[in-house]
Amino acid sequence: MSESPIYLDHNATSPPHPLVLEAALPLITNHWGNTGSAHSLARAPHAVVEHARGQLAAWAGARPKDVVFCSGATEANNLVVLGAEGRVLCSATEHPSVLEAVQLRGGTVIPVDCHGRLDLACLEEELSQGAGLLSVLAANNETGVLQDTSAIYELTRAAGVPLHLDCAQLIGRHAAPECWDYMTVTGHKAGGLKGAGALLRRQGQALSARSHGGGQERGFRAGTLNPAPIASLGVVATLVHSPQVRIQRDRLEAACVALGAHVSGSGAPRLWNTCNVVFDGIQSDMLVVGLDLAGVCASAGSACASGAAKASGVLLAMGIQESALRLSLGWSTTAQDISRAIEAIQVVVARQRALGSESWQG
Ligand code: PLP
């Protein structure tokens, strides 16, 4: 019997955590009522959604009534960026769901340094010209680079500009940042089900609805709620990564460095689960295909961009022209997985280098 694939693409999506399945399955099999109905079948799913709201609010340090559930981080990011009053700003390494929304609004993109951290001098200059919102990715999906959200918040607060943090990659892995005005989360990167995310806002921060209809979520997001993934998002808010994840990520990264790889964002604090490496002279899509054949699921960037085989905007913004291999670990990753992945990477890199030198020799 062939071994099951080693999954190292948790930043794209993750396998459902056992606690998530326990919480979510009854909502599919038995408690499938509409949370907005007035009869008895609505009671159980309604209670579960409110419990998840409380779990999420507790993680974020927010009030439950300031949680707006929606379909995922894309929708939450669009909700806050497209609804903001005035000029919108974001960093150059945002997820496309922020970057494209900011560009659609004619907003301003602020550069990052070679480690992927926001250029604070440039930010200060932009803030001094007035803005309605700054949106920043708290933990980058491609590199895992963590922004200094406290320092950024000091500047935005002084300028009177609300700060939105995209925490899609943070929840379930890391403590929530303390300083923010709006926050985006999603459940499926750290053991939750696809199909639920949320926008949180601090008391007093304005929000304008993008969808209109049944008045759900206090009128901020119309549409029938999806209790199973919402319950899973609540569970994810209670999870923390085991130190084992970092130990295994560091082992994997050290093995790549021993093969001559450069680590993107190595000069900045990074999420414990993410390894983004450039092997000079080797196209990362060739590595991804080779690893897939060897039973290792990896990515050449973010899931949205990987099908397009184009240079990563995140890496270009950091001054990295080459393509990179992204390996992202999670709750299900074992030490044995990493040992097998290291062996596969050694073989695939050696084969690509041999092929490269053959074609060089004509
Ligand atoms: N923001 C970040 C940082 C992400 O990594 C992702 C997922 O790729 C998203 C937003 C979009 O999340 P969702 O799939 O929940 O719409």
Side-chain angles (χ1 to χ4, degrees):
M1 211 174 73
S2 67
E3 286 177 293
S4 55
I6 296 161
Y7 189 72
L8 296 181
D9 202 14
H10 282 249
N11 288 11
T13 198
S14 57
H17 191 282
L19 291 174
V20 157
L21 292 176
E22 200 181 301
L25 275 178
L27 294 155
I28 298 167
T29 51
N30 295 327
H31 305 306
W32 40 260
N34 187 326
T35 56
S37 299
H39 50 67
S40 60
L41 272 184
R43 259 175 239 137
H46 176 77
V48 168
V49 165
E50 293 316 308
H51 181 63
R53 199 185 298 282
Q55 288 173 310
L56 189 51
W59 176 76
R63 302 183 308 172
K65 66 180 184 184
D66 292 330
V67 172
V68 178
F69 284 122
C70 57
S71 63
T74 298
E75 188 184 344
N77 285 342
N78 273 244
L79 181 60
V80 65
V81 173
L82 296 176
E85 295 277 328
R87 192 166 72 106
V88 287
L89 312 174
C90 73
S91 87
T93 52
E94 292 306 302
H95 186 267
S97 54
V98 164
L99 201 56
E100 287 181 22
V102 168
Q103 284 163 345
L104 201 67
R105 295 209 35 187
T108 303
V109 177
I110 299 171
V112 296
D113 64 19
C114 62
H115 308 297
R117 293 197 117 196
L118 192 62
D119 181 330
L120 296 185
C122 203
L123 172 63
E124 208 168 358
E125 168 62 29
E126 289 296 341
L127 289 171
S128 72
Q129 294 171 36
L133 183 79
L134 169 69
S135 185
V136 170
L137 226 177
N140 190 274
N141 47 308
E142 292 189 34
T143 59
V145 167
L146 299 167
Q147 295 294 341
D148 184 348
T149 53
S150 304
I152 293 170
Y153 187 69
E154 256 181 51
L155 297 178
T156 55
R157 202 173 56 159
V161 175
L163 172 64
H164 166 240
L165 296 181
D166 179 348
C167 296
Q169 296 287 349
L170 216 57
I171 188 165
R173 297 175 171 157
H174 201 281
E178 284 175 15
C179 305
W180 51 274
D181 297 301
Y182 300 92
M183 180 193 284
T184 284
V185 293
T186 191
H188 72 99
K189 310 291 185 181
L193 303 181
K194 290 172 254 319
L199 181 71
L200 290 83
R201 65 186 177 129
R202 289 285 186 212
Q203 191 173 359
Q205 292 295 344
L207 189 61
S208 77
R210 308 293 311 161
S211 56
H212 305 274
Q216 291 89 348
E217 296 300 89
R218 296 170 196 270
F220 291 119
R221 196 275 185 173
T224 304
L225 290 174
N226 197 355
I230 288 176
S232 82
L233 176 54
V235 172
V236 166
T238 67
L239 299 177
V240 275
H241 256 197
S242 118
Q244 265 305 313
V245 176
R246 180 182 217 148
I247 292 168
Q248 298 312 327
R249 191 282 306 266
D250 288 352
R251 259 183 82 210
L252 182 63
E253 204 162 87
C256 292
V257 169
L259 289 171
H262 311 282
V263 178
S264 315
S266 60
R270 287 179 297 138
L271 267 184
W272 299 2
N273 77 315
T274 308
C275 168
N276 184 297
V277 279
V278 173
F279 289 90
D280 285 336
I282 308 181
Q283 284 295 324
S284 58
D285 45 0
M286 300 313 288
L287 290 176
V288 170
V289 171
L291 286 174
D292 192 30
L293 291 172
V296 178
C297 302
S299 145
S302 68
C304 325
S306 59
K310 57 181 182 188
S312 153
V314 170
L315 296 186
L316 286 175
M318 295 164 68
I320 301 171
Q321 311 290 331
E322 297 91 349
S323 61
L325 177 69
R326 181 185 72 179
L327 303 156
S328 48
L329 291 66
W331 69 266
S332 60
T333 311
T334 64
Q336 208 185 2
D337 288 343
I338 297 305
S339 301
R340 278 178 56 202
I342 289 172
E343 281 169 28
I345 291 169
Q346 287 165 341
V347 170
V348 173
V349 167
R351 191 182 307 137
Q352 286 300 321
R353 285 196 173 130
L355 283 173
S357 68
E358 265 172 34
S359 60
W360 178 249
Q361 286 157 18

